[in-house]
Structures are given as structure tokens and as C-alpha cells.
Amino acid sequence: MKVYEAVADALVSLGYRRAYTIPGTHIYHLNHALGDKVQQTVFRHEMGATFAADAYGRLTGTPGLAIVTAGPGILNGLSGLGQAYAEASPLLYITGEVARGERYGFHGVDDPLAVTYSSIPVAKRVYLVEDPGSIWSVMGEAHYTALSGRRGPVHVSIPYDVLQSEAGEGRLEQRETDGVARCVDVINEGLGDGVRGVLIIGMELYPELAVQLLDLFVDWPYIATVGQIGMGGLRRDRYAGHIEKKFQVHPVAERVLREAEYILAIGIPPDSPEAEQISLLNGDARIDYLRPGESGCMVEKIGGGYHVLAPLREAVDLLSPGRNGLDLDIRGLMEKRLEWARETVYSEKDSMIHQGVAAHMISQLEIDGYTVTCDTGGNEQWIREFIPPIRDVRYLYSGSFGSIGYSLPASIGAYDDWPEVLAVTGDGSLMMSLGELKTVVEHSYNVKIAVFNDSTYGILEMLSRSDIGEEIEGGIGSVDFAKVAEALGMEAMAVDTYEDLEEGLEELMYSTGPFLLDIRCSPEEIPTLLRKNS
């Protein structure tokens, strides 16, 4: 059995059913060996493949699988690895590499190891397979590493000559991803009767545990880091908004944090920007941090609370339920905020489509049950204001890593898990992943795409005005994305009036195949989340 056949067998045995890939000379033997055992989606750029794998891993809790070739293939996919690393998303990155010892070969440079090891800063672990007989243990270990502790991407790089070698007989070791945790008593002590608590769910929380946690703390309001919005389903009476690095705390979340006596932050490092924000808003509350550990457990005293590292699944099972929340009408506060935002954008409504009005109109669509993918930019700020508080959606955003060009490839990864997907993107972001429109068409992904087309990197212009007192030019020119989509075989419509927008949104929702709505909108208005709180 050749190594490429052993890798294919190992992937199937480990439960992989989908791969996001661009076959190339140094890896297509593996693509061939996988055949139809694994559904292979062929992308137009490796960045799109790794973005899709990140989205799949983040939504399902099982590693997304990306397979690309050596050299530029590896390097092109690193944005997706960085994205997965930042958001604690399990991902298995299998790549080709030049033959052992080969200098200046095709897809290589003077140092045969340089390209593979470029992934070290953005991967939990990098395996360069130099012994063909080790492939079985490497595959099992790589899968386990992606899932254990703080989840993340793992890179398995296979030199071309190793890929063609005999693997020999081997056996894939199945390993448990969690051990036994008995160190949550310090947290349970803080959950005593009468404590006015709030739950924060962070990027390191396994998505499959979100529902369990929100059911356990049924009386508590909760705040989510942006990557966790919607993962536990909509709890409209308890969702108190989001926290994002030092960049932003939702006004309702800020109110809740200031009034809490006890804060339980799950999946947030105590040295993170989010933790700093929490402490600044409420230095008197006890704050406990529970995070995933690789094995065993660790308890560290931090200020008035504790930092606990433990196998997360068992630790959550051992938590006592939160009995008392805050004496606040969370839903009322959120509705008041939304009413202020809605009145603000409609008062600014002009002949050119206002992005906030467009986002509000999208929020009124029947999108409960959808996954909504978003790119970094002003369009995402508008969508985040209006959709998560009222719609039962899973919200997938490039988050703290801030990748542009993320939404469209991520919608493909999301579709493989949940085939009701709305991809919201800006024109600058779509330009970076434009080729994946053809991927959507070729594989008949029924993805609905809304493009906020303002002919500029609008968020950069806004932020530069406040940061340096002068606007940095971010114009990118006018693009007719509807015509581009139609040329690639996708139904599309361009709109530049509110009447046409209403019709376009109806077409978008009732389309039976992939559909792109090109919304020609104003670049001028500052998202309400970036303004002073109401």
C-alpha cells in the first residue's frame, strides 16, 4: 500500500466525509485515492479551500479537511490556517511537498523545508512526514491534536517521494479527545445561591457544548464573542450582545457586565483583550475562566477568581447550574437598542441605498435556521447590529483574524453542514474570492449572496478618519457583480433603489439555486455599532 493510499484509508476511518481542495502535481495521487469515498470540492484558490475548512470545523466541531499541493499551494492556504488558529477551529491541512533533500525543485526553494515550516506560527502542530512507515501514527496524532484542548489547525506535509513510497502495514490508533476532569469545584463554589451572574461564551468553546451551557445557565443572561454568536440557538430573552477584542462591546453587554456580581467566561483566555475589557468594565465582580486543556487539569488563582484548564466536555458536565440572573429585562434593553438603530438609519435614508437600511431589510426576511457568513468590513457591522438579536441564525464571521474574502468560501463550508446559507460580503471582500462564485455554480451550492457594493474599502476610510485624522483613500472602482455572476452561470440581480432592493431580496430568498444580489449602496454612513451608544 502506497502512502497516499494509507492517508486516504486513514481519513475515511477517522470519519472524514468532505475535503476542500485544489489538486496539484505533488498531491493529486491522494485526491485520486480518495475518489468518491470523500466528497471533494475543488476550489479556484487555496485560500478559499482553507476558509471553507475553517467554517466547517467551526460549525460542526469536527476538523475541516483541506488538501492542497506544495509550494505556492501551501502558502496560499495559510490565511485560512491563521483564521482557524485565531478562532480555535479544528482543521486538518494535508499538503504535498518537494522530495526529501530536493533543492530548487518544482514548487520548491533552496531550503526544502522552508515552505512547510512557514505554517508553524499559525498551526498547533506541523508534521513533516519523512518516514513512510510513520504515516499511520501521524494521521491519528494529527487528528487528535486538532481536536484536543484548544482546538485548531494541524498541518501534515508529505514530501513527493514519501507520498509514492510503500507505507507498510500499520494500524490507526483511535484516541479519546478528553480525559477526566475533577477541578471545577472552585467554579461551583462561585455559583452559590443568590449570585447575580452572567455567562460569556468565547472562541475556544466547542460548538457542540453551546446548547448544553445555555440550558445549564437557563436564568442567566449571556454574552458571546463574535465567533460564538448563534451557536447555541437564539435565546432572545437572554442574549445580551457581543464582545470583540478591545474594539467593541455591545451597549447591552456593557450594561450587563457592569451590574454582574459573578462572571463565568468559558473559552476566553484570561490574558486576552476580551478579558481586559471585562475587568475594566467591572473590577469588583468575581471572574472565573474555564478553558479547554489538553489533558488533566490546572487551577490558577487570578485576582478574585480562578483560571481553570480542563478537558472541556467533562468539565461542563460537572458544572453546577446557575440559579440567579440579573434583575434586568434583557430583551427590553435589546429591543430599545434596535429601535434606536432602526430610527437612526431610516432618518438618514436618502436616494442612494443606505447600508443600514439594507441590513435592516435583510433582518426582516425569513432567515431563521440559516447560517449567515460575513466578511470583515462595514457591511458586517450593519448585519451584526440587526440580525443576531432577532434571528435564530448561526453567525460566521472572520473574527479577530479579520480575513477579507472569507464570507463566500465560508458559505461553502457552512453549506456542507447546513444547506441554508446567506453569505453577506462587501465588494472589496468579494474581489478577493471572486473565483469561488464558479465553485458555487459547479457544485450546485444553493447559497444566497448579498453584496454591499459601495466601490470602496469603506471601513478603512472610516477608521482612518478617527485614528489619524485623515481619510486614507480606499476606492476600488465600480464592479458590476451581477454581470460577473451571470457570466459564471449564476442567477443575479443588481439594485440601486429601495423599490428594487425589496424586489431583489424577494428574488434572493425564493431562488431555487445560487443567487447573487448586487446592492449598490452609499459608502458614507458610519455603522451604528461604531457610534456612541444610544
Side-chain angles (χ1 to χ4, degrees), residues 221 236-237 239-241 250-257 259 326-341 385 389 534:
R236 193 172 298 159
D237 58 333
Y239 174 62
H250 189 280
V252 177
E254 182 174 336
R255 171 80 180 273
V256 166
L257 286 170
E259 297 201 16
L326 302 179
D327 187 20
L328 288 174
D329 178 6
I330 302 299
R331 184 171 182 178
L333 290 171
M334 189 62 76
E335 288 176 349
K336 180 181 177 183
R337 166 69 193 188
L338 287 170
E339 181 62 19
W340 172 83
E385 177 78 88
S534 63

Side-chain angles (χ1 to χ4, degrees), residues 249-317:
V249 181
H250 189 280
V252 177
E254 182 174 336
R255 171 80 180 273
V256 166
L257 286 170
R258 290 188 186 280
E259 297 201 16
E261 296 174 339
Y262 177 81
I263 300 168
L264 177 56
I266 300 184
I268 296 178
D271 58 351
S272 66
E274 287 88 352
E276 183 178 341
Q277 285 273 40
I278 294 165
S279 296
L280 287 173
L281 288 169
N282 191 337
D284 297 325
R286 171 173 167 171
I287 307 171
D288 285 340
Y289 295 90
L290 174 60
R291 301 176 57 215
E294 297 287 342
S295 62
C297 63
M298 184 275 288
V299 178
E300 177 186 13
K301 190 81 168 67
I302 297 181
Y306 292 91
H307 174 210
V308 177
L309 283 169
L312 198 55
R313 188 172 287 106
E314 293 194 12
V316 169
D317 286 341

Side-chain angles (χ1 to χ4, degrees), residues 148-471:
S148 64
R150 186 189 192 277
R151 291 174 172 174
V154 175
H155 181 190
V156 177
S157 182
I158 309 174
Y160 186 76
D161 59 320
V162 173
L163 193 71
Q164 308 297 319
S165 299
E166 292 292 331
E169 296 298 321
R171 183 173 63 87
L172 187 68
E173 293 186 12
Q174 301 283 356
R175 298 177 60 177
E176 294 294 325
T177 59
D178 284 316
V180 177
R182 300 298 177 192
C183 56
V184 296
D185 287 347
V186 292
I187 293 177
N188 287 334
E189 290 170 5
L191 298 173
D193 291 338
V195 67
R196 290 160 45 83
V198 59
L199 177 69
I200 306 178
I201 55 176
M203 75 289 289
E204 294 178 348
L205 176 67
Y206 304 164
E208 63 269 27
L209 297 181
V211 172
Q212 181 181 347
L213 268 173
L214 294 182
D215 287 343
L216 186 65
F217 293 89
V218 69
D219 296 323
W220 283 25
Y222 74 96
I223 297 165
T225 56
V226 180
Q228 288 288 352
I229 292 175
M231 291 303 178
L234 182 65
R235 313 297 175 100
R236 193 172 298 159
D237 58 333
R238 297 163 52 209
Y239 174 62
H242 62 268
I243 182 170
E244 182 182 12
K245 302 293 182 184
K246 295 180 181 178
F247 181 61
Q248 190 176 98
V249 181
H250 189 280
V252 177
E254 182 174 336
R255 171 80 180 273
V256 166
L257 286 170
R258 290 188 186 280
E259 297 201 16
E261 296 174 339
Y262 177 81
I263 300 168
L264 177 56
I266 300 184
I268 296 178
D271 58 351
S272 66
E274 287 88 352
E276 183 178 341
Q277 285 273 40
I278 294 165
S279 296
L280 287 173
L281 288 169
N282 191 337
D284 297 325
R286 171 173 167 171
I287 307 171
D288 285 340
Y289 295 90
L290 174 60
R291 301 176 57 215
E294 297 287 342
S295 62
C297 63
M298 184 275 288
V299 178
E300 177 186 13
K301 190 81 168 67
I302 297 181
Y306 292 91
H307 174 210
V308 177
L309 283 169
L312 198 55
R313 188 172 287 106
E314 293 194 12
V316 169
D317 286 341
L318 292 168
L319 284 174
S320 299
R323 299 296 185 188
N324 295 285
L326 302 179
D327 187 20
L328 288 174
D329 178 6
I330 302 299
R331 184 171 182 178
L333 290 171
M334 189 62 76
E335 288 176 349
K336 180 181 177 183
R337 166 69 193 188
L338 287 170
E339 181 62 19
W340 172 83
R342 190 193 68 80
E343 289 179 354
T344 298
V345 300
Y346 278 86
S347 71
E348 298 170 348
K349 186 177 176 182
D350 203 347
S351 58
M352 198 169 191
I353 294 175
H354 188 301
Q355 294 191 38
V357 174
H360 179 262
M361 291 174 69
I362 291 172
S363 76
Q364 302 306 299
L365 301 174
E366 294 297 325
I367 54 174
D368 287 332
Y370 272 66
T371 297
V372 177
T373 64
C374 280
D375 268 301
T376 296
N379 62 91
E380 187 275 331
Q381 292 286 307
W382 288 115
I383 291 295
R384 194 196 307 180
E385 177 78 88
F386 287 110
I387 288 183
I390 65 169
R391 288 299 178 200
D392 187 5
V393 299
R394 301 188 306 174
Y395 192 77
L396 205 59
Y397 160 54
S398 54
S400 60
F401 199 60
S403 300
I404 298 179
Y406 178 77
S407 180
L408 181 58
S411 72
I412 297 171
Y415 187 91
D416 279 332
D417 176 56
W418 197 275
E420 288 187 312
V421 182
L422 171 64
V424 180
T425 184
D427 50 344
S429 296
L430 184 56
M431 290 288 283
M432 292 194 180
S433 55
L434 198 60
E436 307 314 341
L437 289 174
K438 190 61 175 175
T439 305
V440 170
V441 171
E442 288 295 307
H443 293 272
S444 300
Y445 289 113
N446 186 11
V447 174
K448 304 179 189 306
I449 306 162
V451 187
F452 283 50
N453 187 353
D454 62 4
S455 301
T456 184
Y457 290 119
I459 194 71
L460 299 181
E461 293 183 345
M462 293 176 202
L463 294 176
S464 66
R465 286 197 297 267
S466 62
D467 287 347
I468 62 178
E470 184 177 334
E471 182 173 291

